[in-house]
Amino acid sequence: MSTEKKFASQADLEEKKVTFSQISEHAWAYTAEGDPNTGIVIGDDAVLVADTQATPAMAADVIRRIREVTDKPIKYVVLTHYHAVRVLGASAYQPQQILASQDTYDLIVERGEQDKASEIGRFPRLFQNVETVPAGMTWPTMTFTGKMTVWLGKLEVQLLQLGRGHTKGDTVVWLPGEKALLSGDLVEFGATPYAGDAYFKDWPKTLDNLAALEPRALVPGRGAALTTPADVAKGLRETRDFIADVYANVQKGVAAGKDLNAVYKDTFAALKPKYGHWVIFDHCMPFDVTRCYDEATQYADPRIWTAERDIQMWKTLEG
């Protein structure tokens, strides 16, 4: 008799080992065995943090590790996208500016409250001390469209929108002088891309745009830091392959006239041998296939996930 899968990541209670490592002259990676990563840039006169962790209490560990290597002020926090698990720790850094794309700001306006409730329900372990999160939303204080350059003394840091993928607001942090990239969730390594708010048709091209920068080191959204061009290429390729494989299988099912439930079961079965060992595979697949089915049928833009919609979808596909 099969056991019903626990919802999303509610069964994931195992603590992860944190690694804090330098990937280039000015860039550092805070990684935790497939949990959400944080990227750090230490410039001449200030520190920039990309993706904050899910709560101020969890962000405190990032700050502690930054303080082991520098006492420079943390002036900037960058939100690579709007998801709660990436942004709700921002207040702990007390930055001068919280930077994000205008598209990310617009998504917070449109669906930030629903996303916050949805994600806290999905990832109990990732929202440690959730009571430390301030009420309301984490709002960018400065936005940009396309490109913004931040100078940390003489260090040039570029914030780039290279296309839609994980969300429509995705931003990467690029250090052109040392070819180091903080990708947010556009790239994962050994971890399943969450694509519930994605643009499947656009994402592979956006990854090509990242590859065109020729990064030598990369901090992915999840997974180990990539510290050689070969590792970076592998991370880009595997992320692209997963997105393409989901889309191809869903398109095939839609063309055959199958409903979402049948398409989900077929796609899960097809992808599990290749990707089933990746972190959060079981969690992501129902959301990924649902969004991909939407995009392949009638919804060009992602529908809003609410805590209620999450549970209903899970019962339909996994119940």
Side-chain angles (χ1 to χ4, degrees), residues 100-164:
S101 68
Q102 183 62 41
D103 288 323
T104 289
Y105 187 97
D106 293 344
L107 285 165
I108 297 170
V109 172
E110 179 189 49
R111 57 183 67 197
E113 289 283 2
Q114 294 98 321
D115 178 73
K116 183 178 181 179
S118 166
E119 290 196 52
I120 290 170
R122 292 186 217 170
F123 295 111
R125 183 178 57 77
L126 294 186
F127 286 89
Q128 292 170 22
N129 304 106
V130 71
E131 69 280 359
T132 63
V133 176
M137 295 290 92
T138 298
W139 291 106
T141 58
M142 188 179 295
T143 64
F144 72 98
T145 299
K147 179 180 179 180
M148 178 179 181
T149 299
V150 178
W151 292 91
L152 304 180
K154 293 180 180 177
L155 180 68
E156 181 182 6
V157 182
Q158 296 178 0
L159 311 185
L160 304 173
Q161 280 187 281
L162 297 174
R164 303 185 301 187

Side-chain angles (χ1 to χ4, degrees), residues 249-250 252-264 266 293 297:
N249 277 275
V250 170
K252 179 181 169 185
V254 168
K258 295 184 178 181
D259 66 8
L260 172 60
N261 207 305
V263 169
Y264 172 66
D266 290 349
Y293 186 89
T297 53

Side-chain angles (χ1 to χ4, degrees), residues 1 14 24 32 47 84 87 122 130 134 172 189 201 266 299:
M1 182 176 167
E14 185 182 334
S24 70
V47 178
V87 311
R122 292 186 217 170
V130 71
V172 300
F189 190 66
K201 293 176 189 173
D266 290 349
Y299 296 99

Side-chain angles (χ1 to χ4, degrees), residues 225-266:
L226 308 175
T227 56
T228 68
D231 282 347
V232 172
K234 184 180 181 188
L236 289 166
R237 182 179 68 252
E238 290 183 349
T239 303
R240 187 189 293 105
D241 286 351
F242 175 85
I243 295 302
D245 286 350
V246 173
Y247 191 64
N249 277 275
V250 170
Q251 271 195 312
K252 179 181 169 185
V254 168
K258 295 184 178 181
D259 66 8
L260 172 60
N261 207 305
V263 169
Y264 172 66
K265 287 177 170 53
D266 290 349

Side-chain angles (χ1 to χ4, degrees), residues 15-232:
E15 290 300 313
K16 309 294 185 181
K17 178 176 178 287
V18 169
T19 300
F20 187 63
S21 58
Q22 190 168 5
I23 67 161
S24 70
E25 184 181 353
H26 294 95
W28 296 71
Y30 179 99
T31 64
E33 298 183 316
D35 275 0
N37 294 337
T38 294
I40 298 100
V41 179
I42 301 175
D44 301 322
D45 60 356
V47 178
L48 177 150
V49 172
D51 293 332
T52 72
Q53 298 292 306
T55 67
M58 297 175 75
D61 189 56
V62 180
I63 295 167
R64 179 178 68 80
R65 290 165 192 271
I66 292 171
R67 290 291 165 246
E68 289 174 356
V69 295
T70 184
D71 60 0
K72 293 169 185 171
I74 301 170
K75 282 190 179 179
Y76 302 103
V77 161
V78 176
L79 312 180
T80 66
H81 59 288
Y82 75 97
H83 286 151
V85 76
R86 300 294 182 180
V87 311
L88 295 183
S91 62
Y93 300 91
Q94 299 183 310
Q96 289 182 11
Q97 300 286 354
I98 299 176
L99 311 175
S101 68
Q102 183 62 41
D103 288 323
T104 289
Y105 187 97
D106 293 344
L107 285 165
I108 297 170
V109 172
E110 179 189 49
R111 57 183 67 197
E113 289 283 2
Q114 294 98 321
D115 178 73
K116 183 178 181 179
S118 166
E119 290 196 52
I120 290 170
R122 292 186 217 170
F123 295 111
R125 183 178 57 77
L126 294 186
F127 286 89
Q128 292 170 22
N129 304 106
V130 71
E131 69 280 359
T132 63
V133 176
M137 295 290 92
T138 298
W139 291 106
T141 58
M142 188 179 295
T143 64
F144 72 98
T145 299
K147 179 180 179 180
M148 178 179 181
T149 299
V150 178
W151 292 91
L152 304 180
K154 293 180 180 177
L155 180 68
E156 181 182 6
V157 182
Q158 296 178 0
L159 311 185
L160 304 173
Q161 280 187 281
L162 297 174
R164 303 185 301 187
H166 179 67
T167 72
K168 79 170 182 179
D170 293 330
T171 295
V172 300
V173 179
W174 174 236
L175 278 61
E178 50 211 65
K179 289 193 170 288
L181 186 70
L182 317 179
S183 72
D185 281 326
L186 278 170
V187 182
E188 312 288 22
F189 190 66
T192 311
Y194 172 75
D197 301 298
Y199 290 83
F200 277 85
K201 293 176 189 173
D202 293 6
W203 198 334
K205 172 59 178 168
T206 301
L207 292 172
D208 291 344
N209 294 338
L210 263 67
L213 296 171
E214 299 182 350
R216 293 199 287 259
L218 187 151
V219 182
R222 289 174 179 264
L226 308 175
T227 56
T228 68
D231 282 347
V232 172

